[in-house]
Amino acid sequence: MRLHQSNWNDAQRFIAHWGRWGHYDGTCTPEDCLYVITLHDLTAQINNNAVEWPSRTTYFLSAFRLLPRQWGGGLRLMQAMFLVQNGIVVRSGVWIDMTQSPFAKGAQPVCCGAELIMSVRSQASLGMPEGKQEEQRSHHPDYTTWRPGGCTFCLMGRATYADSMPSEDVAKISDFQLSCATRWSSCLTLEELDPAAHSWHLYESPWGDPPKKPSSQQMPVGCALPLYALGRDASRIVSVEALEDGVSLGKDSDGIEYESSRVRVIAGLKGDSPWRSNSIQKVLSSGAPFDGKLRKPAHLVKTRRYLLILGKEDDVPRDKVVLGICGIAGEDAASDQEVRRGVVMDDQLKGFEPIVSFGGFARRRLEPWDQ
């Protein structure tokens, strides 16, 4: 199933083929249909928010050429999902839960690697980077990776990619080595299950990645993300004109510098502008850490135009707005074109995004721990 290319007819053929293992909640029509395929063994206790899955014997995906699992370890659960809206497949994802064999060299009897859980799913907007996310996404702006906390019996990783990401790149980050389920000495780390995770550094040794190598990239002057990614991932973008040069406000207790400037609002480029056109707003430009160093804040110059990359409405105060390095971009013909190219990549779903949790894929409001 190819995002934004496969249609309702393709989806129907897929459903007909996997109908024995598939499920949809509510109705399934060309206007809206979230379809989830679930394969699990008799030992799996499934508790999905949408449905209680019946116990079944071990099923095998012939597409992945799975062989019978070795005793005591192997594929515990596998889910694949796609979402159709307006006759087109707009989201997809895969979730794998695999237990290790007790015969595996270095196997842990209770925790810290007894179970491997990995998911890869699509989403139109990845959201604006926060903290060290900018540094991570400077290496791969079209997908994010993270490790949820709270799992004491597993190693868990999640990758979320922009649905505009080229299919060949999607294949690289979701190249699951399902031979882990057939070997006598099964996989023990996420990197063995998904080789792409070697560069993600989700876990420290001995339960995950190799030691981090010192970064050789230069510290960027501005935001490390390309402009199209800012356009795609921003909630709102507003075009403004600086009415004065930025004035330094000094540093805070962490050494982060700030500058202050007044701007005139020109127009909203994406989403609803929190301010009316021609209103005057106060903008604080913030520096930020990157690769162990501190960058200076963006310096606004009088009469020049800028794009303010804003968060959600409740994050934007009315008296002043504080923007980090990725919150201010210079506006000219070239940058405007790149930002607009990213804006059109961000589609708007009807209803919630399909997300994945311990229970598998479901549709509900995205929470911070689901990012």
Side-chain angles (χ1 to χ4, degrees):
M1 305 291 282
R2 289 183 173 270
L3 293 176
H4 301 291
Q5 296 182 32
S6 298
N7 57 28
W8 177 241
N9 291 331
D10 300 321
Q12 284 183 306
R13 286 192 290 269
F14 201 84
I15 291 173
H17 182 76
W18 293 104
R20 183 182 177 186
W21 299 279
H23 170 83
Y24 58 85
D25 192 30
T27 61
C28 183
T29 68
E31 285 68 41
D32 189 89
C33 178
L34 176 63
Y35 192 78
V36 181
I37 299 167
T38 302
L39 307 173
H40 60 81
D41 66 24
L42 286 171
T43 64
Q45 299 297 317
I46 308 303
N47 182 18
N48 193 298
N49 291 334
V51 65
E52 292 292 329
W53 300 96
S55 293
R56 301 185 178 115
T57 57
T58 304
Y59 294 125
F60 304 104
L61 271 175
S62 59
F64 293 108
R65 299 183 178 89
L66 281 180
L67 299 176
R69 56 182 287 191
Q70 300 294 344
W71 177 80
L75 183 64
R76 178 178 181 271
L77 175 67
M78 183 173 188
Q79 278 196 346
M81 73 86 179
F82 63 83
L83 173 65
V84 176
Q85 287 197 343
N86 299 322
I88 300 296
V89 175
V90 293
R91 298 289 187 274
S92 65
V94 177
W95 182 59
I96 291 179
D97 185 334
M98 189 171 291
T99 57
Q100 66 181 214
S101 166
F103 303 107
K105 184 178 180 180
Q108 301 300 308
V110 179
C111 70
C112 309
E115 200 163 326
L116 303 179
I117 303 177
M118 186 72 193
S119 67
V120 178
R121 69 179 181 91
S122 68
Q123 191 170 298
S125 170
L126 300 180
M128 292 303 296
E130 297 179 2
K132 291 187 177 180
Q133 288 183 354
E134 182 200 352
E135 195 170 340
Q136 176 201 116
R137 289 166 61 179
S138 68
H139 297 283
H140 44 78
D142 293 330
Y143 71 93
T144 62
T145 62
W146 76 298
R147 135 194 167 190
C151 186
T152 59
F153 60 87
C154 72
L155 299 176
M156 180 185 295
R158 293 181 183 174
T160 303
Y161 64 90
D163 58 13
S164 55
M165 185 175 175
S167 57
E168 57 270 20
D169 293 334
V170 174
K172 291 178 182 178
I173 67 171
S174 56
D175 184 23
F176 295 109
Q177 303 300 298
L178 296 185
S179 62
C180 288
T182 67
R183 298 189 335 224
W184 186 261
S185 182
S186 57
C187 296
L188 298 178
T189 66
L190 293 178
E191 290 77 12
E192 291 179 278
L193 177 60
D194 187 353
H198 275 286
S199 63
W200 300 346
H201 304 293
L202 296 179
Y203 286 88
E204 297 296 334
S205 179
W207 308 123
D209 55 22
K212 293 184 179 181
K213 296 180 179 179
S215 176
S216 60
Q217 64 177 329
Q218 290 186 333
M219 185 174 67
V221 176
C223 182
L225 272 66
L227 290 173
Y228 79 84
L230 293 179
R232 177 194 63 208
D233 298 335
S235 297
R236 290 175 295 173
I237 303 176
V238 180
S239 174
V240 301
E241 178 188 8
L243 300 180
E244 61 186 7
D245 292 345
V247 178
S248 175
L249 299 178
K251 303 178 181 180
D252 63 13
S253 58
D254 296 321
I256 303 295
E257 294 186 52
Y258 291 85
E259 283 196 5
S260 173
S261 182
R262 290 182 307 115
V263 299
R264 179 178 64 85
V265 177
I266 299 175
L269 183 61
K270 180 182 180 181
D272 297 327
S273 172
W275 312 297
R276 65 180 185 275
S277 298
N278 291 319
S279 63
I280 308 301
Q281 303 296 329
K282 185 178 181 180
V283 174
L284 297 185
S285 173
S286 168
F290 190 91
D291 195 22
K293 304 175 184 177
L294 293 177
R295 294 173 295 177
K296 293 184 176 298
H299 178 67
L300 275 63
V301 178
K302 185 177 180 180
T303 72
R304 290 188 181 179
R305 291 191 174 187
Y306 298 90
L307 297 174
L308 303 187
I309 316 297
L310 303 178
K312 298 178 181 178
E313 187 164 351
D314 55 3
D315 296 330
V316 182
R318 298 297 172 175
D319 55 341
K320 63 182 178 181
V321 57
V322 182
L323 296 172
I325 295 296
C326 287
I328 300 176
E331 184 179 8
D332 53 35
S335 60
D336 182 77
Q337 182 179 7
E338 275 297 282
V339 170
R340 289 179 183 273
R341 183 169 74 91
V343 169
V344 299
M345 295 178 181
D346 184 8
D347 62 7
Q348 298 296 319
L349 289 184
K350 293 180 294 184
F352 297 138
E353 289 272 2
I355 60 174
V356 65
S357 62
F358 280 104
F361 287 106
R363 291 180 78 178
R364 59 179 171 80
R365 185 183 300 277
L366 195 67
E367 301 292 348
W369 52 84
D370 296 318
Q371 297 296 326

